[in-house]
């Protein structure tokens, strides 16, 4: 079958032979769409050091953002042909407690694999076989928007965790909601926008920060969901200091200078990993973190439950913000074109997807 | 009465007149001992900018680490003459939710006062009057060790909070305890040693880190409680990377370089506030925090419940480690001598206390 | 204005004069629909002993299940004319901690009021004035389905609480979801059906139990959402014993006999209050509760956050189960007819609503 | 070696041969004391239906309340000869998630074993071999009081769980402690008294209820720890209704009549399993449970962490209440006498222990 593979630091669309038998509990899935993200591009460029092919292979099939359709069902599987499905990305080590309870996003041994990233083939190919237990089913009404589920799942994990963590003090407002809390998100890429929607749905006042004016699409989306885009080169952020800061950039220079502006008992989500710069942190800033009980939390990956809840969110947003999900998918490319797109962002891109439906 | 006051950046033992009536719900307490800590010295030296006298006063009575004895009991108070008591330090703003529920350590408005520190007189004086609800009672058996309760209360808050926060993943070991977790504490002052004892009681393997060999007393105490002192100038820390890192130094240079060695799903308590240096944090380190789900939490102050639990810990330790608490009080000085001691640490000092019992 | 009032044990549609000024922070709302429930009928019949008019009135305006539209906005209010809104029912005592933090559903003093039930006029009237902070806004797309929010809010509180409580052990399944957990709901009225949908959305396998075959509508709804209706007179429940049992009947005879069939570490939500019978509980049953770590929890009322989350659920369900919400509203009556309907259930009724839109 | 065995419904002191090799990770323990409790007597009398010998045996060595001393240490064990140890009772099934994480007290499969109770030999014998990971070490200062750890561990599990569960609302008082909460304990046997001490240490006001006046020892102990003994035949309980009710009797007739007196948001621990009676529960009572958000929780067994924390409590109590632990051990009998004591309670007994130290 056709697949987009990375071999010796080069991506190409190839004909590969992967003997995948449909064992008990397994499902054959026809790929509909793959999302392309910074991780894919980092694998192709070689900047993502931890990427590696599965054992016994000299290439890796790319693809961890997936929307597929059940094509064939193995024994003992409770799915039907035509069901929309999304596979989880990380597969547990089978050893540590977190993996045993389905929280491979908290794997302790580091021996997990991730499809399309490290040690396991991804889904940028015509079909793939997987255990049904690794698949999350989406309502058919959701259609192609389901390709946004994988990036969203990571956002869901982060915000659910922060909600738990912030239970350490009374962080909900006098009316029991988060209506009095301001969240500032650094970065307006797909992750930044998904954070803005998830936090808005939770009831926060949301600000999306970037060092430039919004693109047309960014403007439309943030307005539609009721968030505020802030160009930090033009205005000092209109909020006196956020209760929750989310960094999606990975640049210390983007969030370290804001650390002493976080409100008392506030929190910071560290989510970005592709930053390059460095920044000084001063003893005075540390003192502020201490005196203000500030919490910083790195968050990576997602559990199946996070995918499941992400599916609910996408379905909710389709009803509540009719145009927004469509606008997030800014570009569709054929598998052949995908190879080029993997070497750099397209102009105006929020999310580019590879379209396998015309295959 | 005699009191140690700070006036215009100078500490002195003075005769002051404070009209304190014993209203309903109040207690008059005879001060037995006061502990001296970095905060007191920072107030005297002027480096602690936020310190201020109570409204209407041009001086501040120092003293927030206290052990006292009930001398006289107001109406409606359920205490008896002779009861050993310790007052909580921070008094809530009366406005924010956290203060309303007795968690003034999470005050959101910043309008709290702190006895002996900001906006309220402390207890370095012969007697003081306070509401009974601000006092924690200790068993008489505890004796002078009770003077350690205030610093311990802050440690208790931090470890209780971390225990809650780390419930985000399965952090307890296969036997339901913390027996597989390593805690490394930066700094071997009184706070570092109290952290080592509290974490040991919780079941952690504990390492106390400093940039020098241990003093005799530090050696005795860490050995007695089963912790390990590590001179980081001589040996690379014997642990491959801690699950929990506690910084009591406040120096970014002490803990930032360790951030990418924290184990997956690990946590860092930021507790020190008196550091002076600065340190670069790199994008690679941020990536490690993200990929490893690491959590950093600033922690300040303590609730009455933390004092209460600290009292239980002191009582437990008196039985379990018979010599340790006694060794932590390295020096006793008279109120007259205290003024000198407030300008700098004594040689070999773990905790110096002002002794009012010969008054 | 016209209002449905209860006076001396009799309901009637009357012209009442309620001087309600539109103060700062307030909103005038035009009532669109009111739901009628067992509580309303209990107030009219006099069986609900705790119902009482507001101070100074000899009648009570009924109505606590509401959908309204903003008609006029007071100063300092962030709502717009035409916004769909639902008022919360219970208003806190202003004294206890739970009320101070917006959790009046956990009021400890019992001094709360409830609109349309005790001590405060309800919304079965052409318009009403309320503080904006008591209103939850719904997306306009939701339309009349919003009248289901109030009963749903109570369901949301119960399931959110159970989710928290069951965090006491590992209750999530190996895949981190609730896919391995069976929930059995006693009763197929509106509350039973809303529980079935909420638990389904959380990922449970859901069984709806009744002592009779399902009505056509009950059959349609349970099938659409993927729940299973069980007529307990015809078949022994197909599940070996539920992990979660929800009683919406209030009859001890309905749930007590099932107590020793609850799975280990399972939970029981007690929600029904209108039961009449009594049932023996044996020492053997108590032993089973103990040996199996079973938890029972009574749950009443809802916070504003529960309303907010209920609004998200309704919006999600409108997209996911296009026909279901419409089918739940089985009858619409005019305010004039409502008086009759308040004396007893209509044939085939799931939810009867009073329609004020033709007023 | 000598062991107390149950064979065909009869207890006897016998010479048994149990080949127990000291494998890697194992320890040989000399038994010092065994506590005798209702479970032991139920096994002997045959009323405890689930008791069974280990596979391949026609007898069961009794004994699950143990204090022992390390006699010989296998390879890879971090214990020393002479260490005081207590073995946990329940051994996990190795299959369910709770057992995998060391919470065999929440075993879901029911395939666990319990030493001295079901499927595994107990410790009423001169020596036994066990894996070190099943042993909790106590400070030597604790001496024979350590025999109280096993019953206490079950109490610790229950109160820790209630503390977690009651986090569902603001249950702590305005001063952040439990000083405003009343706990009533039904039953004044060893379990009732241990609950009174554990809850007192947590800060509750504690009432111990029985249907008779206190014995001399019960009076001494409750007074020493600051609890109040209430003879419910003579006085209506002095508390208007407890916030926390603990039933240690297992008699529905003892706690069901109190259910509608539990305070709002209160909790009930069901702990007793040896009751015999039955009691009617009415719809009105169910309504009270619902309207008051009352929680009931069955609690059985304990994790190793609960043993560990119980050890800390015993050490604390030895210092804080010098005479109390000694008074709880009312009788010591030789292994030979134990057989008689196993058929019924001794007069004035709180805890009878079998003394193997003169063996």
């Amino acid at each position: 079958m056709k697949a987009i593979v990375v071999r010796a630091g080069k991506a190409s669309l190839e004909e590969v032979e992967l003997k995948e038998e449909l064992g008990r509990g397994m499902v054959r899935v026809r790929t509909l769409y793959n999302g392309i993200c910074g991780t894919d591009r980092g694998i192709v460029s070689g900047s993502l050091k931890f990427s590696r092919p599965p054992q016994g292979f000299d290439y890796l099939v790319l693809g961890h953002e997936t929307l597929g359709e059940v094509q064939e069902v193995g024994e003992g599987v409770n799915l039907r042909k035509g069901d929309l499905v999304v596979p989880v990305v990380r597969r547990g080590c089978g050893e540590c407690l977190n993996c045993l309870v389905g929280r491979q996003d908290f794997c302790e041994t580091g021996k997990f694999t991730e499809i399309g990233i490290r040690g396991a083939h991804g889904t940028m190919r015509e079909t793939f076989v997987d255990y049904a237990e690794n698949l999350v089913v989406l309502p058919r009404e959701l259609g192609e928007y389901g390709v946004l589920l994988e990036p969203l799942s990571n956002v869901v994990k982060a915000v659910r965790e922060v909600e738990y963590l912030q239970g350490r003090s009374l962080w909900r407002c006098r009316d029991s909601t988060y209506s009095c809390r301001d969240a500032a998100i650094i970065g307006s890429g797909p992750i930044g926008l998904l954070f803005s929607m998830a936090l808005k749905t939770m009831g926060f006042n949301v600000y999306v920060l970037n060092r430039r004016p919004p693109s047309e699409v960014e403007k439309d989306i943030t307005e539609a969901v009721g968030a505020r885009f802030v160009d930090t080169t033009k205005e000092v952020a209109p909020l006196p200091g956020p209760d929750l800061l989310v960094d999606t950039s990975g640049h210390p220079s983007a969030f370290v200078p804001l650390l002493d502006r976080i409100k008392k008992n506030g929190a910071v989500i560290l989510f970005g990993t592709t930053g390059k710069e460095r920044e000084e942190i001063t003893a005075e800033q540390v003192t502020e973190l201490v005196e203000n009980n500030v919490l910083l939390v790195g968050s990576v990956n997602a559990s199946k439950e996070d995918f499941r809840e992400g599916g609910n969110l996408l379905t909710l947003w389709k009803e509540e913000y009719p145009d927004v999900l469509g606008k997030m998918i800014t570009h569709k490319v054929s598998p052949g074109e995908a190879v080029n797109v993997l070497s750099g962002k397209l102009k105006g891109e929020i999310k580019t997807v590879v379209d396998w439906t015309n295959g």
Side-chain angles (χ1 to χ4, degrees), chain A residues 127-139:
Chain A
T127 67
F128 63 93
V129 167
D130 207 340
Y131 284 97
E133 69 187 24
N134 292 324
L135 302 175
V136 175
V137 184
L138 294 178

Side-chain angles (χ1 to χ4, degrees), chain A residues 252 255-257 259-260 278-287 289 296:
Chain A
F255 70 88
V256 169
L259 287 185
D260 42 20
R278 51 180 58 212
E279 184 78 12
E280 270 188 345
I281 183 162
T282 65
E284 285 69 30
Q285 283 179 309
V286 173
T287 299
L289 295 178
L296 290 85

